[in-house]
């Protein structure tokens, strides 16, 4: 896929970026930085650890994913033959030419998104009836979308030199939905891989939303504005690699 709004090449050494998520929506949003990255995921259980607190629950899962990938990174480099451990094969989703010099440091990004309505956390649906139930529950009411993000810089041995974590919350207001609307949307298959059983960017899901309060991209799955601010404040080298040429 070609880069979105290609940026001038950064002339310095590039940090290796890893996105610890296979979400196509997060990949698309991270491409907006113009920085090349790969995707790696680790198989971890994703229980709701704090049922009444979506921010803490999402943060706990984002940290769990982060720790698992860091452990696999350490395991990888502890092998004499430098073979990959159990981490799934990286997917190259670079947005710039890969001829640039890269450093031994890795910038790891993990995230988790949860939907919260009337004291209930709504995860991905387990089947179409579950998706129908969630959408009926969200119909005509406000809910919150919470995304937690964990960021770190580590060396080739997996030793962390810097780590930050944050959460972002957006309020979403739904129109009243008819059973026919819900049925047709669920039948499309689109809700099945999304927390809360809808995607605000979908051709149908977009029409269910009356208004939002907060970051639209957070509802899509990655809070770009908060990420940008943390990058600028705490990961200045990685920030410059995205938005400057030197």
């Amino acid at each position: 896929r070609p880069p979105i709004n290609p940026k001038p090449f950064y002339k310095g050494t590039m940090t290796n970026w890893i996105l610890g998520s296979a979400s196509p929506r997060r990949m698309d949003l991270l491409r907006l930085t113009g920085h090349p990255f790969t995707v790696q995921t680790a198989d971890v259980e994703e229980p709701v650890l704090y049922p009444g607190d979506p921010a803490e629950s999402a943060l706990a899962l984002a940290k769990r994913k982060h720790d698992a990938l860091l452990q696999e990174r350490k395991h990888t480099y502890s092998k004499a033959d430098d073979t990959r451990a159990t981490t799934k094969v990286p997917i190259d989703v670079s947005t710039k030419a890969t001829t640039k010099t890269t450093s031994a440091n890795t910038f790891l990004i993990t995230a988790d998104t949860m939907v919260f309505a009337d004291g209930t956390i709504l995860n991905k649906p387990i089947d179409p009836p579950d998706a129908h139930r969630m959408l009926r529950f969200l119909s005509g009411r406000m809910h919150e979308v919470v995304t937690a993000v964990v960021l770190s810089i580590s060396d080739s041995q997996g030793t962390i030199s810097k780590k930050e974590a944050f959460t972002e919350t957006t309020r979403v207001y739904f129109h009243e939905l008819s059973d026919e609307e819900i049925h047709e949307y669920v039948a499309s298959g689109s809700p099945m891989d999304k927390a809360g059983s809808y995607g605000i960017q979908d051709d149908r899901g977009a029409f269910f939303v009356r208004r939002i309060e907060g970051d639209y991209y957070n509802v899509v799955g990655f809070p770009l504005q908060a990420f940008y601010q943390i990058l600028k404040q705490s990961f200045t080298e990685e920030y410059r690699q995205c938005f400057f040429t030197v």
Side-chain angles (χ1 to χ4, degrees), residues 55-90:
E56 284 299 319
S57 294
L59 189 58
L61 290 182
K63 287 179 177 178
R64 180 175 290 198
K65 296 172 186 177
H66 206 92
D67 291 345
L69 285 169
L70 283 173
Q71 283 300 118
E72 292 193 4
R73 182 170 166 77
K74 289 180 181 179
H75 182 57
T76 295
Y77 283 95
S78 69
K79 290 185 173 184
D81 60 356
D82 196 33
T83 58
R84 291 289 180 187
T86 57
T87 304
K88 296 176 183 177
V89 176

Side-chain angles (χ1 to χ4, degrees), residues 31-245:
R31 283 189 183 100
L32 293 174
T33 65
H35 198 293
F37 64 93
T38 57
V39 170
Q40 288 181 254
T41 60
D43 293 322
V44 297
E45 294 184 1
E46 299 188 22
V48 176
L49 300 176
Y50 306 95
D53 192 331
E56 284 299 319
S57 294
L59 189 58
L61 290 182
K63 287 179 177 178
R64 180 175 290 198
K65 296 172 186 177
H66 206 92
D67 291 345
L69 285 169
L70 283 173
Q71 283 300 118
E72 292 193 4
R73 182 170 166 77
K74 289 180 181 179
H75 182 57
T76 295
Y77 283 95
S78 69
K79 290 185 173 184
D81 60 356
D82 196 33
T83 58
R84 291 289 180 187
T86 57
T87 304
K88 296 176 183 177
V89 176
I91 304 169
D92 187 358
V93 286
S94 299
T95 61
K96 292 179 180 178
T98 55
T99 56
K100 299 297 296 180
T101 303
T102 57
S103 74
N105 290 337
T106 293
F107 183 49
L108 177 60
I109 306 163
T110 58
D112 191 82
T113 299
M114 290 190 173
V115 173
F116 188 68
D118 284 357
T120 302
I121 293 176
L122 304 178
N123 291 316
K124 297 175 184 177
I126 58 175
D127 54 28
D130 192 35
H132 192 286
R133 178 190 64 80
M134 288 189 198
L135 290 166
R136 170 54 55 213
F137 183 64
L138 294 176
S139 175
R141 71 175 73 198
M142 184 275 290
H143 63 272
E144 294 181 333
V145 177
V146 181
T147 301
V149 179
V150 181
L151 312 170
S152 73
I153 292 288
S154 59
D155 62 19
S156 62
Q157 306 303 311
T159 302
I160 294 175
S161 59
K162 187 179 298 182
K163 188 175 183 179
E164 295 283 353
F166 66 91
T167 62
E168 184 76 9
T169 300
T170 302
R171 288 186 170 185
V172 181
Y173 295 80
F174 259 32
H175 289 288
E176 292 282 351
L177 306 179
S178 68
D179 285 337
E180 183 179 28
E181 287 176 302
I182 294 174
H183 174 77
E184 289 298 320
Y185 185 46
V186 173
S188 74
S190 182
M192 302 311 298
D193 66 340
K194 300 175 179 69
S197 299
Y198 80 95
I200 195 171
Q201 74 285 349
D202 287 353
D203 54 355
R204 286 189 175 94
F207 293 103
F208 297 165
V209 176
R210 181 162 57 89
R211 66 185 177 94
I212 69 171
E213 296 173 358
D215 184 359
Y216 165 84
Y217 295 107
N218 185 51
V219 186
V220 177
F222 194 72
L224 278 180
Q225 181 56 38
F227 173 73
Y228 176 79
Q229 294 300 324
I230 293 293
L231 205 64
K232 183 166 61 173
Q233 295 165 13
S234 301
F235 299 92
T236 54
E237 183 59 31
E238 288 64 42
Y239 166 72
R240 295 193 65 84
Q241 291 170 21
C242 293
F243 303 105
F244 295 84
T245 58

